[in-house]
Amino acid sequence: MPALTCPVCGGALHREERILRCGAGHCYDLARQGYVNLLRTNRSKDKRHGDDKRMVAARTAFLDAGYYAPLRDAIAAAAVEYTSGDADVLDAGCGEGYYTAHVLHALQAQRASPSVCGVDISRDALICAHRRAPELTLAVASIAHLPVADASCDLVLNVFAPHDAAEFARALRPKGVLLRVIPLERHLWGLKQAVYDRPYENTVPDPELPGFMLAEQRTLRSTITLRTNADIEALFCMTPYYYKTGARDQAKLHALDTLTTETEFALLIYRKV
């Protein structure tokens, strides 16, 4: 697997029963829920980082309903196309593991033995990822300080998550591949129309990344219809809009039983240069 490293000294971590230990003696417990906490922080250990249980539950319910299955399949197909089956894969910002697990299983379907590691700052999300695929290696850590050795990965995934081009380049082997997914201008436009008096299009970031060559861009556009209020609420709760929207606008969704909205994704495929 991509070699996990100590967040204190950077040394390689080795497993000893229920702990990971580096050569300098720093130790990290393996939680019974399937992850290790390697987050570099001086804050209280009791402070919750990243997505909370409500957002994780909403995302899990919505994704398991299959609305984003075409994107899931496109990511997995690109992973199979651009790597060998025995690839070392790192999902930087894996969330609850929907895409991570599918990439793992798609590579395994090639009769190969991939190793896949997911990193996220949310413990609640990683607990869910472990349930999806217990064979995943999972670590609480920041994308800005990935707990993997230099040049230890063949493929980095970065799906709807913050990015750090320098860290991704450090983690990837020469000619390694980065698969990044971003929303396009009118992604979830129908949802915005239902919530906001003046909906606005998304600002699409510049796809250029230092240290990488954009090899290909694949665009996925479609329309989905959500047929229960539970699915509508789950979609809204899993987006950043939920925590940025006032109670009056949020209430507009409560009476809706159906909602039709656009989905627009860009799958950006990079080679490390």
Side-chain angles (χ1 to χ4, degrees), residues 241-255:
Y241 313 134
Y242 179 80
Y243 293 100
K244 300 177 181 178
T245 302
R248 184 184 68 85
D249 284 337
Q250 288 189 23
K252 296 175 182 177
L253 296 179
H254 298 339

Side-chain angles (χ1 to χ4, degrees), residues 54-104:
R54 181 174 184 177
M55 183 172 277
V56 171
R59 183 178 294 112
T60 300
F62 179 83
L63 293 174
D64 285 350
Y67 292 109
Y68 282 7
L71 174 62
R72 176 201 67 190
D73 294 343
I75 293 169
V80 169
E81 179 181 348
Y82 275 86
T83 69
S84 67
D86 293 324
D88 291 316
V89 181
L90 174 67
D91 191 343
C94 67
E96 45 68 64
Y98 178 71
Y99 305 105
T100 328
H102 202 66
V103 166
L104 170 66

Side-chain angles (χ1 to χ4, degrees), residues 13 17 29 43 50 66 91 93 147 154 165 183 194 221 223 254 257 263 268:
L13 292 172
E17 295 184 356
D29 293 333
R43 302 175 203 171
D91 191 343
D154 300 297
R221 290 187 172 92
T223 300
H254 298 339
D257 292 324
T263 62
L268 307 173

Side-chain angles (χ1 to χ4, degrees), residues 16-273:
E16 299 176 6
E17 295 184 356
R18 298 298 305 170
I19 67 170
L20 296 180
R21 187 192 305 271
C22 71
H26 303 117
C27 297
Y28 305 91
D29 293 333
L30 288 166
R32 59 182 175 81
Q33 298 98 331
Y35 67 87
V36 59
N37 193 336
L38 301 177
L39 187 64
R40 291 176 52 174
T41 178
N42 294 322
R43 302 175 203 171
S44 167
K45 292 182 180 179
D46 294 330
K47 182 177 177 63
R48 185 66 58 180
H49 299 283
D51 293 344
D52 59 21
K53 289 182 180 179
R54 181 174 184 177
M55 183 172 277
V56 171
R59 183 178 294 112
T60 300
F62 179 83
L63 293 174
D64 285 350
Y67 292 109
Y68 282 7
L71 174 62
R72 176 201 67 190
D73 294 343
I75 293 169
V80 169
E81 179 181 348
Y82 275 86
T83 69
S84 67
D86 293 324
D88 291 316
V89 181
L90 174 67
D91 191 343
C94 67
E96 45 68 64
Y98 178 71
Y99 305 105
T100 328
H102 202 66
V103 166
L104 170 66
H105 297 150
L107 292 173
Q108 288 175 333
Q110 307 303 305
R111 297 184 178 181
S113 299
S115 61
V116 181
C117 176
V119 166
D120 202 277
I121 60 172
S122 168
R123 288 175 287 174
D124 292 320
L126 294 182
I127 290 169
C128 183
H130 177 68
R131 294 194 199 107
R132 287 191 183 278
E135 61 269 51
L136 291 172
T137 298
L138 299 169
V140 181
S142 167
I143 285 174
H145 301 286
L146 295 171
V148 295
D150 295 353
S152 61
C153 303
D154 300 297
L155 172 67
V156 169
L157 306 175
N158 184 233
V159 182
F160 294 128
H163 71 280
D164 190 313
E167 268 295 274
F168 297 165
R170 180 190 66 78
L172 282 167
R173 296 185 172 112
K175 305 300 181 182
V177 175
L178 167 64
L179 299 184
R180 184 180 174 211
V181 177
I182 59 173
L184 294 176
E185 290 89 348
R186 293 179 66 85
H187 180 58
L188 300 184
W189 182 250
L191 177 66
K192 289 182 176 182
Q193 285 182 311
V195 174
Y196 302 123
D197 295 333
R198 295 184 178 87
Y200 55 91
E201 292 189 349
N202 299 315
T203 299
V204 179
D206 186 345
E208 296 298 319
L209 291 179
F212 289 91
M213 177 192 69
L214 182 60
E216 187 178 355
Q217 175 172 330
R218 300 177 182 179
T219 302
L220 291 83
R221 290 187 172 92
S222 67
T223 300
I224 58 173
T225 298
L226 286 65
R227 302 195 180 279
T228 69
N229 182 259
D231 286 350
I232 296 168
E233 297 279 0
L235 172 60
F236 186 54
C237 187
M238 73 181 242
T239 69
Y241 313 134
Y242 179 80
Y243 293 100
K244 300 177 181 178
T245 302
R248 184 184 68 85
D249 284 337
Q250 288 189 23
K252 296 175 182 177
L253 296 179
H254 298 339
L256 295 182
D257 292 324
T258 63
L259 175 73
T260 297
T261 186
E262 299 85 344
T263 62
E264 294 189 349
F265 313 103
L267 173 56
L268 307 173
I269 304 172
Y270 300 87
R271 288 279 189 188
K272 178 180 174 180
V273 296

